[in-house]
Amino acid sequence: MEVAYLLDDRIYLEEERNSLEQETLSYNEIVKSLERRYRVHSDKKVFTCICCKQPVSMVLRKDKFHFKHIGEGCPSSENYSHYTKQIKGEENEQSHRLGKTMIRTYLEGQLKIHGINVQEGYSYRKTIKIIPDILLYFPNGDIWVVDYITGKKQTEAYNNFIKRRKEIYTQEGFKSFFFIDKSWLSSEHPTFKGISLYPAENQMFMQREQDQLWEVLLANIISQVGEEFILKYLFRLKKDSKQNYSFSVESILYVDPLAGQALIQRLVRLNEQWGLQIYREEISLEQATSLSFSKQQLKWDGIFEVEERTKMEAEITTAFGKYKTEEALAEEIKMKEELNKKLIESEKHISHKQSNYHVGSTHHVHSQIILDSTSINELVLKLREECITVSEANELYDYYKKNKQFKNKSELEEIRVLARTMLGPISSPKLWETRLREIIINLGLL
């Protein structure tokens, strides 16, 4: 074991070795320094195991500084042997050692006031197959585990290792927290708000208190604007009819221990390789190792999350209103263009019919009011835009009344619809001058 009690103090041999190495001391100088500090204590058998409290002795080998049981070993001895092999085989050993030390130091500083005992994972009082980095013992008997992840992220073997790790923690009744090295963090996809995921990374998501608040917000917004709009506006993603979108929000924490920084990443998982980024914020490692207000989780909360949720809801609601207005305007323009097209076709049809009458058919010729198609189209356009005057409306009505027998049904129906639209619904009619209203009514009854 790398740590043992010296009365009530925990002595970490490897950490002291690393500290002395930073001072550029040689191996022999480091050994002499530690021998001066601790050899007599070791000979007097006052170093004790952090697990069983039995005496242990200090061993200063060139490859490893550690404590060894004087008598028969306990579960922590076996756990430590497993742990050293586990770190060497699965993690980036050097960076893992330094990062884990920093994280443990922060945890000790933040959790001591709550009576939480921070211990090495291999000190667990029974043997387990996968050893956590750090154990948090709560006064009520709960045990949490914290792991610093630096490993072979892209391999299936490491993915299976994380999967097995979670299963064992569940069996032991641990609540687990993964501090993932920031080198794992993906940049955003160039065209949509997507974050790529390693297989192992995909397994380390959890849903926390803030995630639930984001999920409620998304559900409320989707009920107002629909999935298609939220995907397009918020995530810049086109909806796939074959894709089932759950919109469940989960989070993961990336850390840079030496810089004392952490980053919260909240995602809606699209599939095993991609997540849709809903929120990301940097926090201090000091905060990330603190207890949340409910004391049920670590405090992986952003400072600006409440404001960002309010801002997001307002922005999406405004954008959706603008989108619907533009959509209605586009539909109206399309309808007007179609009506104009039909009117032009009708005028051509009338001209064709009139050209077929014989010169002697004076009855038909004289019974028509002949206006050029441009004038008629202008009057119809004014009717459609509801800016027609009394005299113009009367002129239009006289034209259609006298030429009704020469008009096809579709053209007359269009005029009736335009007139009725201008009048408005019976329950709330539009207010027009009395004479104009009478003429429009007559147009609607053609």
Side-chain angles (χ1 to χ4, degrees):
M1 299 176 295
E2 296 173 17
V3 59
Y5 280 122
L6 184 61
L7 197 55
D8 293 329
D9 291 331
R10 281 179 285 181
I11 306 301
Y12 292 88
L13 287 179
E14 275 295 311
E15 289 181 18
E16 293 203 27
R17 175 181 180 169
N18 290 333
S19 178
L20 292 170
E21 284 178 345
Q22 296 299 314
E23 298 176 18
T24 68
L25 296 181
S26 68
Y27 166 71
N28 290 331
E29 290 172 326
I30 292 171
V31 169
K32 286 180 182 179
S33 176
L34 294 180
E35 288 282 1
R36 284 195 301 270
R37 293 184 203 177
Y38 302 127
R39 179 50 65 189
V40 174
H41 297 309
S42 179
D43 292 344
K44 290 182 177 181
K45 301 179 182 179
V46 293
F47 278 114
T48 57
C49 173
I50 58 176
C51 174
C52 66
K53 304 298 189 293
Q54 296 302 308
V56 293
S57 62
M58 181 176 67
V59 180
L60 304 179
R61 294 190 333 205
K62 192 162 188 176
D63 62 329
K64 194 77 171 177
F65 287 7
H66 67 282
F67 292 99
K68 181 180 179 180
H69 278 76
I70 294 174
E72 186 177 348
C74 71
S76 66
S77 298
E78 188 175 345
N79 286 340
Y80 180 69
S81 177
H82 285 318
Y83 183 68
T84 53
K85 292 177 183 177
Q86 174 182 302
I87 297 304
K88 192 170 184 178
E90 302 294 350
E91 302 294 339
N92 185 325
E93 192 172 4
Q94 184 175 2
S95 62
H96 180 273
R97 179 181 298 280
L98 292 172
K100 171 194 159 184
T101 299
M102 296 299 298
I103 292 169
R104 191 195 65 232
T105 302
Y106 274 99
L107 287 167
E108 288 171 341
Q110 298 306 309
L111 302 182
K112 185 177 180 180
I113 59 172
H114 300 288
I116 298 168
N117 189 10
V118 180
Q119 292 282 3
E120 292 290 324
Y122 53 76
S123 70
Y124 192 50
R125 289 172 174 78
K126 74 175 189 179
T127 57
I128 48 178
K129 293 180 180 179
I130 294 181
I131 317 301
D133 288 331
I134 300 168
L135 288 167
L136 307 179
Y137 290 96
F138 282 68
N140 65 358
D142 288 346
I143 302 176
W144 294 5
V145 298
V146 171
D147 286 312
Y148 177 43
I149 303 299
T150 63
K152 301 168 183 176
K153 47 205 172 194
Q154 71 273 25
T155 67
E156 186 58 30
Y158 195 77
N159 181 40
N160 292 333
F161 171 67
I162 295 295
K163 182 179 180 181
R164 181 65 179 144
R165 192 173 202 151
K166 291 174 66 179
E167 290 172 352
I168 289 173
Y169 291 170
T170 300
Q171 291 168 9
E172 294 296 324
F174 300 153
K175 180 183 284 188
S176 60
F177 294 84
F178 294 101
F179 286 62
I180 302 173
D181 191 80
K182 202 171 181 179
S183 62
W184 287 46
L185 179 61
S186 159
S187 59
E188 193 174 287
H189 188 281
T191 59
F192 76 100
K193 292 184 72 174
I195 304 298
S196 60
L197 303 168
Y198 292 113
E201 186 179 15
N202 194 58
Q203 293 195 66
M204 291 184 278
F205 280 89
M206 289 178 62
Q207 187 173 70
R208 297 172 174 84
E209 295 159 352
Q210 287 291 334
D211 297 316
Q212 294 172 359
L213 295 176
W214 280 104
E215 195 169 297
V216 169
L217 174 67
L218 273 183
N220 288 338
I221 295 175
I222 290 170
S223 69
Q224 299 175 49
V225 307
E227 284 187 5
E228 186 171 356
F229 184 80
I230 204 78
L231 286 168
K232 181 179 178 181
Y233 181 82
L234 186 57
F235 302 117
R236 303 192 298 273
L237 185 68
K238 185 177 180 181
K239 185 176 180 180
D240 183 352
S241 59
K242 298 178 182 178
Q243 173 76 40
N244 181 27
Y245 302 95
S246 67
F247 292 98
S248 174
V249 180
E250 296 173 292
S251 58
I252 198 166
L253 188 82
Y254 301 94
V255 294
D256 184 349
L258 298 182
Q261 293 295 316
L263 184 141
I264 307 162
Q265 175 67 77
R266 307 202 190 281
L267 296 176
V268 172
R269 277 195 275 184
L270 188 61
N271 52 45
E272 291 187 355
Q273 293 182 307
W274 290 96
L276 301 175
Q277 178 174 290
I278 188 167
Y279 188 73
R280 174 186 283 190
E281 183 179 338
E282 284 197 356
I283 61 173
S284 67
L285 194 54
E286 182 179 42
Q287 179 181 330
T289 53
S290 303
L291 279 184
S292 66
F293 180 76
S294 68
K295 297 184 180 181
Q296 298 302 307
Q297 294 176 337
L298 293 176
K299 194 177 181 182
W300 295 1
D301 302 343
I303 299 172
F304 307 107
E305 290 200 64
V306 175
E307 293 85 349
E308 284 299 313
R309 280 195 292 271
T310 302
K311 181 180 176 182
M312 178 184 290
E313 184 171 21
E315 286 181 352
I316 293 175
T317 302
T318 300
F320 185 69
K322 183 179 179 181
Y323 164 75
K324 295 302 289 184
T325 299
E326 290 174 351
E327 186 182 57
L329 181 62
E331 185 63 30
E332 182 181 350
I333 291 171
K334 181 181 177 182
M335 184 182 70
K336 288 180 177 180
E337 288 175 349
E338 289 176 351
L339 285 173
N340 274 334
K341 184 178 178 181
K342 289 180 179 179
L343 284 170
I344 292 170
E345 290 175 352
S346 297
E347 289 301 324
K348 288 180 179 178
H349 178 70
I350 292 168
S351 299
H352 178 70
K353 287 180 67 176
Q354 290 176 345
S355 66
N356 289 332
Y357 290 128
H358 296 291
V359 177
S361 302
T362 55
H363 172 73
H364 293 293
V365 173
H366 294 296
S367 65
Q368 294 183 62
I369 296 177
I370 307 299
L371 292 174
D372 62 85
S373 59
T374 301
S375 298
I376 293 300
N377 287 341
E378 288 176 355
L379 293 177
V380 172
L381 182 61
K382 287 187 175 184
L383 178 65
R384 186 184 309 113
E385 295 178 350
E386 300 183 3
C387 61
I388 196 167
T389 65
V390 173
S391 61
E392 289 170 338
N394 192 51
E395 184 179 1
L396 187 63
Y397 174 66
D398 286 343
Y399 170 79
Y400 275 102
K401 182 179 178 182
K402 295 292 179 67
N403 293 282
K404 185 175 180 180
Q405 58 182 313
F406 307 111
K407 301 293 182 182
N408 57 47
K409 290 183 179 180
S410 62
E411 183 181 354
L412 290 170
E413 183 58 30
E414 287 168 7
I415 295 300
R416 294 188 193 106
V417 169
L418 290 173
R420 291 166 186 168
T421 300
M422 185 169 174
L423 290 170
I426 296 174
S427 58
S428 56
K430 298 177 183 178
L431 299 177
W432 299 109
E433 182 185 343
T434 302
R435 179 55 186 155
L436 178 59
R437 183 173 180 78
E438 289 175 355
I439 299 170
I440 299 304
I441 290 172
N442 288 334
L443 279 168
L445 297 173
L446 278 172

